[in-house]
């Protein structure tokens, strides 16, 4: 019988099956070695959510920037070894922009691109070969920022200072169409193929920081036209064509991103000095090397936190930011790396991002937006420490003010008067008109809606923590579960009452970059004032503070802004993001500049050491194959006996 003959094959199949099994979840690298025989190097990392867009003039969330950073080089970049204070240095530009005082009293910056820099090879170019980056590509980026159809979230911030942006934006809005052939930004004056001048409407020292972001990165018009102009092709926001150290090789939505080295890249090299003592051993051998340092980067999207740590322990993830349940396994009670992992050569660093996280109250909501006492009561009901302990192992400090540590104007002695204080919260909720949280109109608990990101079990646990905290004053909180991208859409649309898990990582290290989140001219989608907070006194003070150099006068304005924001309470302050970072012995940290969203072009990997350690940490058990053969042999024997009886 066929059935009997098939069973005879099972032992052989089992041998091959067990012999071929492995527990490495990472995709097979694009290559195993270079033409000269040297090993192909891959960096394996993780992401906590999906990117919303990879359009450099639109994307404004941390995940999207993490993906964009290796694809698009910027005009300036942060000096990777300088964090106290942070500094910018040339990247695509030959030198730092030269500040020019024009005859009419206005300020401009003269800039010149490096020659010989090319966009990635892509079908959008003739013959599929990337062309040279020129000044016209910078002007095109500013045109896209000014196009109402693009809905760039930073338009209002830049249009206030860059000449001509506001005019062509309004013109395009009136006509219903942006004419890229004729509507140019007068503030971006082309001098020659590589040189341009950036003309400002008024002094704005922070403009140099904007040149270190993807928003102002050169973009090839051919790429946008090719991918947004024909059905059947991915949109440009899903198919970026940059000039950076890596090219996006593949993107499987909600699963993974794969990058491959840009073979024509020669824009930057690894720093030749300035290393911190704790990084010198890893950095000195890399000095002056052409970037990037690896051939491929694979980033996997994980909806759950714990699997990332399990894979890190096995050696399949190169770095891990310690969160939640993994903290008990990875760290000792004194927050040091557990001895068994230290013995493996793993290293532990504490990192503090230049960021502040908070809940957002919708100030246009008729309930929470109109009742300041209610917002203050909710703020006093919430204890951020429990959230910090759950998610970051206690590494993140509680946020007492909008500005995080390291930003000019941060006051280390300031304590939020509407921080966690249940007694005060109960008094404030009564003053808000809801004693013990009861709505007098219904004689039932006041019901509030809280939008949360809850794509996985850990996120739901954190969301439930937020819910319990706010309910401590008697109100009822209804959770609305969103994906990260959906929550971003709701912030843009104003379609929420309260949003949890929002926050801001510095685009640049200046107080203006945090307080602009509450400036009334920055309502979405043109800006990032998701609370839709509008206070004339705040706006006037912000405008005075925004465009002056750091000084005692600026410090006083910052303190005034802080006092207004704290009292009005349009946001519920939570924490400044801090976490413990574990790196593998084959992938040591090479910098600690948290303004880089990953710094993938500086990542270094020793593939030989990785393979050796993976074998040590994941020994293949020798018993499964023999045991399987015995089991299969028994099954085959029983089947043969049964077959004989049936045919007797």
């Amino acid at each position: 019988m066929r059935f009997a003959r098939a069973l005879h094959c099972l032992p052989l199949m089992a041998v091959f099956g067990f012999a071929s099994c492995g527990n490495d979840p990472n995709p097979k690298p694009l290559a195993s070695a270079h033409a000269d025989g040297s090993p192909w190097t891959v960096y394996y990392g993780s992401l906590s959510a999906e990117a919303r867009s990879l359009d450099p003039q639109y994307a404004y969330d941390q995940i999207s920037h993490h993906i964009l950073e290796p694809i698009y080089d910027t005009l300036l970049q942060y000096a990777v070894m300088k964090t106290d204070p942070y500094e910018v240095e040339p990247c695509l530009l030959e030198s730092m922009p030269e500040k020019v005082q024009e005859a009419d009293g206005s300020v401009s910056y003269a800039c010149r691109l490096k020659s010989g820099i090319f966009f990635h090879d892509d079908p959008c170019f003739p013959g599929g070969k990337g062309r040279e980056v020129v000044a016209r590509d910078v002007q095109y980026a500013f045109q896209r920022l000014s196009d109402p159809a693009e809905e760039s979230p930073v338009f209002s911030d830049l249009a206030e200072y860059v000449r001509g942006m506001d005019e062509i934006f309004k013109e395009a809005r009136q006509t219903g169409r942006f004419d890229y052939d004729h509507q140019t930004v007068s503030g971006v004056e082309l001098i020659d193929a590589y040189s341009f001048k950036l003309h400002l409407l008024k002094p704005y020292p922070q403009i140099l920081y904007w040149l270190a972001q993807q928003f102002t990165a050169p973009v090839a018009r051919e790429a946008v036209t090719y991918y947004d102009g024909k059905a059947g092709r991915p949109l440009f926001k899903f198919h970026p064509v940059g000039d950076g150290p890596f090219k996006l090789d593949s993107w499987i939505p909600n699963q993974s991103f794969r990058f491959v080295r840009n073979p024509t890249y020669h824009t930057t090299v690894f720093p030749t000095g300035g290393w911190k003592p704790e990084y010198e051993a890893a950095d000195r051998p890399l000095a002056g090397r052409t970037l990037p340092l690896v051939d491929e980067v694979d980033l996997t999207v994980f909806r759950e936190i714990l699997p990332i740590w399990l894979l890190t322990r096995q050696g399949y993830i190169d770095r891990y930011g310690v969160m939640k349940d993994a903290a008990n396994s990875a760290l000792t009670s004194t927050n040091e790396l557990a001895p068994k992992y230290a013995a493996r050569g793993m290293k532990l660093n504490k990192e503090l991002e230049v960021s502040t996280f908070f809940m957002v109250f919708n100030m246009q909501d008729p309930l929470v937006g109109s009742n300041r006492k209610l917002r203050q009561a909710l703020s006093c009901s919430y204890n951020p420490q429990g959230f910090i302990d759950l998610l970051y192992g206690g590494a993140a400090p509680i946020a007492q003010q909008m500005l995080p540590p390291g930003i000019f104007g941060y006051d280390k002695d300031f304590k939020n008067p509407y921080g966690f204080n249940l007694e005060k919260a109960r008094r404030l909720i009564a003053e808000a008109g809801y004693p013990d949280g009861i709505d007098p109109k219904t004689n039932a608990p006041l019901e509030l809606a809280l939008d949360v990101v809850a794509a996985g079990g850990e996120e739901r646990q954190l969301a439930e923590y937020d819910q319990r905290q706010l309910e401590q004053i008697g109100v009822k909180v209804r959770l609305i579960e969103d994906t990260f991208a959906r929550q971003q859409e709701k912030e843009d649309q104003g379609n929420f009452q309260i949003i949890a898990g929002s926050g801001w990582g510095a685009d640049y290290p200046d107080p203006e970059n945090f307080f602009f989140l509450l400036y009334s001219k920055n309502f979405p989608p043109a800006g990032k004032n998701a609370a839709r907070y509008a206070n004339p006194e705040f706006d006037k003070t912000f405008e005075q503070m925004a465009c002056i150099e750091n000084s005692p006068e600026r410090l006083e304005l910052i303190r005034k802004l802080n006092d207004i924001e704290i009292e009005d309470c349009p946001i519920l302050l939570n924490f400044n993001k801090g976490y413990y970072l574990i790196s593998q012995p084959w992938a040591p940290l090479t910098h600690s500049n948290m303004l880089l969203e990953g710094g993938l072009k500086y990542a270094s990997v020793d593939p030989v050491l990785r393979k050796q350690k993976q074998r040590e940490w994941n020994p293949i058990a020798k018993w499964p194959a023999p045991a399987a053969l015995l089991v299969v042999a028994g099954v085959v024997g029983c089947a043969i006996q049964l077959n004989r009886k049936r045919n007797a």
Side-chain angles (χ1 to χ4, degrees):
M1 288 181 66
R2 283 182 185 170
F3 177 65
R5 281 197 293 268
L7 286 174
H8 282 297
C9 297
L10 284 176
L12 187 60
M13 291 165 61
V15 172
F16 282 110
F18 280 101
S20 63
C21 280
N23 59 345
D24 185 349
N26 289 313
K28 185 179 179 181
L30 294 171
S32 58
H34 292 278
D36 62 2
S38 60
W40 181 267
T41 56
V42 185
Y43 173 86
Y44 294 107
S46 63
L47 294 170
S48 60
E50 179 63 279
R52 185 182 181 191
S53 169
L54 298 185
D55 184 331
Q57 274 78 56
Y58 177 80
Y60 212 176
D61 63 86
Q62 190 174 34
I63 298 295
S64 297
H65 276 206
H66 192 93
I67 303 301
L68 281 168
E69 186 183 79
I71 299 172
Y72 289 93
D73 263 347
T74 47
L75 299 171
L76 300 177
Q77 66 179 8
Y78 282 94
V80 68
M81 302 301 174
K82 297 178 181 179
T83 57
D84 188 22
Y86 292 93
E87 293 182 16
V88 288
E89 63 183 12
C91 183
L92 291 175
L93 295 183
E94 280 188 347
S95 59
M96 290 296 293
E98 179 187 353
K99 185 177 179 180
V100 179
Q101 197 75 37
E102 301 290 356
D104 62 0
S106 64
V107 173
S108 65
Y109 288 85
C111 307
R112 183 171 177 83
L113 291 168
K114 296 174 181 175
S115 60
I117 296 173
F118 291 83
F119 285 109
H120 299 155
D121 291 347
D122 190 89
C124 70
F125 300 114
K129 290 293 183 181
R131 65 160 173 81
E132 190 175 19
V133 177
V134 293
R136 178 69 185 84
D137 301 313
V138 179
Q139 188 182 69
Y140 179 65
F142 275 86
Q143 285 179 291
R144 298 191 76 237
L145 289 168
S146 307
D147 184 349
E150 298 298 336
E151 295 187 339
S152 175
V154 302
F155 165 76
S156 61
D157 305 299
L158 287 169
E160 187 172 350
Y161 299 101
V162 178
R163 184 185 299 169
M165 290 183 69
D166 195 49
E167 287 83 351
I168 60 174
F169 176 89
K170 291 177 179 176
E171 183 181 342
R173 182 167 266 178
Q174 288 175 352
T175 62
R177 176 178 175 271
F178 193 100
D179 186 346
Y180 280 89
D181 292 322
H182 300 99
Q183 288 178 284
T184 58
V185 178
S186 60
V188 184
E189 179 191 0
L190 301 184
I191 307 300
D192 59 36
Y194 304 106
S195 302
F196 63 94
K197 262 190 176 183
L198 194 59
H199 297 281
L200 303 186
L201 293 166
K202 53 187 174 181
Y204 185 50
Q206 295 89 347
I207 192 65
L208 297 183
Y209 293 132
W210 283 100
L211 301 185
Q213 297 183 62
Q214 282 89 22
F215 297 115
T216 59
V219 170
R221 184 174 177 178
E222 301 97 310
V224 179
T225 302
Y226 184 83
Y227 288 104
D228 284 354
K230 185 175 180 180
R233 293 174 183 157
L235 295 173
F236 175 69
K237 67 179 181 178
F238 300 129
H239 189 101
V241 181
D243 52 26
F246 290 98
K247 179 179 180 179
L248 183 62
D249 179 76
S250 65
W251 175 5
I252 303 175
N254 296 303
Q255 293 186 40
S256 64
F257 293 86
R258 171 178 270 176
F259 306 87
V260 64
R261 176 199 292 271
N262 173 10
T264 66
Y265 188 80
H266 58 270
T267 308
T268 58
V269 298
F270 196 87
T272 55
W275 316 295
K276 293 181 179 179
E278 61 268 34
Y279 295 101
E280 184 160 353
D283 290 347
R284 185 172 291 280
L286 305 175
R289 280 184 53 180
T290 300
L291 298 174
L293 300 172
V294 299
D295 300 300
E296 181 182 334
V297 173
D298 289 340
L299 302 179
T300 301
V301 178
F302 288 90
R303 296 301 182 184
E304 304 287 346
I305 296 171
L306 193 56
I308 310 175
W309 170 233
L310 298 177
L311 292 171
T312 302
R313 292 193 315 187
Q314 293 178 284
Y316 300 126
I317 299 288
D318 291 335
R319 289 179 196 152
Y320 173 63
V322 180
M323 292 185 181
K324 209 172 170 293
D325 299 336
N328 294 329
S329 170
L331 307 177
T332 66
S333 59
T334 57
N335 287 330
E336 295 177 348
L337 187 62
K340 65 178 178 180
Y341 300 120
R344 289 182 170 189
M346 293 180 174
K347 301 295 182 183
L348 180 71
N349 291 80
K350 183 176 179 179
E351 304 291 342
L352 183 64
E353 288 189 357
V354 190
S355 63
T356 302
F357 282 74
F358 43 79
M359 288 186 187
V360 176
F361 296 116
N362 187 345
M363 297 298 287
Q364 293 182 338
D365 179 80
L367 177 59
V368 299
S370 63
N371 195 326
R372 183 165 67 176
K373 292 286 187 180
L374 173 60
R375 299 193 300 273
Q376 292 171 346
L378 292 169
S379 182
C380 288
S381 75
Y382 189 88
N383 182 6
Q385 191 59 55
F387 190 99
I388 293 166
D389 292 341
L390 274 171
L391 188 58
Y392 296 109
I398 293 174
Q400 302 290 342
Q401 56 206 287
M402 172 65 89
L403 299 183
I407 296 293
F408 179 79
Y410 171 78
D411 184 352
K412 63 181 178 61
D413 298 320
F414 180 83
K415 298 297 179 185
N416 181 6
Y418 300 106
F420 179 57
N421 184 330
L422 272 181
E423 182 181 348
K424 188 173 184 178
R426 292 182 179 118
R427 185 174 72 251
L428 285 166
I429 193 68
E431 293 174 6
Y434 305 98
D436 298 322
I438 301 299
D439 186 344
K441 295 179 181 178
T442 62
N443 205 31
L446 175 68
E447 183 170 326
L448 301 170
L450 179 66
D451 274 86
V452 297
V453 174
E458 285 92 351
E459 288 176 336
R460 290 189 184 92
Q461 184 181 354
L462 294 168
E464 288 167 2
Y465 176 86
D466 290 340
Q467 180 185 41
R468 290 194 301 271
Q469 290 294 299
L470 299 180
E471 289 184 337
Q472 291 185 103
I473 54 176
V475 301
K476 181 181 179 181
V477 175
R478 176 170 55 92
L479 295 181
I480 301 174
E481 297 185 358
D482 304 316
T483 63
F484 176 74
R486 178 59 180 147
Q487 188 183 79
Q488 293 285 301
E489 289 175 3
K490 285 189 171 185
E491 283 192 359
D492 285 351
Q493 298 163 356
N495 183 23
F496 68 94
Q497 190 172 58
I498 309 172
I499 274 185
S502 193
W504 192 255
D507 293 318
Y508 47 86
D510 191 270
E512 182 255 359
N513 188 234
F514 283 86
F515 285 121
F516 87 140
L517 297 173
L518 299 173
Y519 184 46
S520 68
K521 292 183 180 179
N522 284 342
F523 280 20
K528 297 301 289 184
N529 182 353
R532 288 156 174 79
Y533 174 64
N535 181 318
E537 185 181 9
F538 184 95
D539 286 352
K540 180 181 177 181
T541 308
F542 173 80
E543 289 167 358
Q544 292 174 311
M545 181 279 301
C547 57
I548 61 176
E549 304 279 357
N550 291 341
S551 62
E553 177 191 0
R554 195 179 200 214
L555 188 59
E556 285 303 312
L557 293 170
I558 290 168
R559 287 172 177 164
K560 183 177 180 180
L561 288 169
N562 184 64
D563 290 343
I564 296 171
E565 179 272 316
I566 289 292
E567 193 63 29
D568 276 355
C569 202
I571 59 174
L572 190 162
L573 291 164
N574 199 331
F575 60 89
N576 305 118
K577 187 176 178 181
Y579 55 91
Y580 295 103
L581 184 66
I582 293 176
S583 57
Q584 301 284 17
W586 58 81
L589 283 180
T590 54
H591 72 88
S592 62
N593 190 327
M594 290 293 100
L595 286 177
L596 301 176
E597 294 289 355
L600 291 174
K601 69 179 177 181
Y602 302 103
S604 177
V605 169
D606 181 341
V608 176
L609 181 60
R610 173 200 273 144
K611 186 173 290 187
Q612 173 191 329
K613 292 295 184 181
Q614 285 178 344
R615 283 197 297 263
E616 291 178 9
W617 300 352
N618 302 280
I620 298 175
K622 296 181 180 180
W623 61 266
L629 287 174
L630 290 174
V631 171
V632 173
V635 171
V636 171
C638 291
I640 292 172
Q641 292 291 334
L642 180 61
N643 186 53
R644 285 174 178 171
K645 288 180 180 179
R646 287 178 176 174
N647 289 280

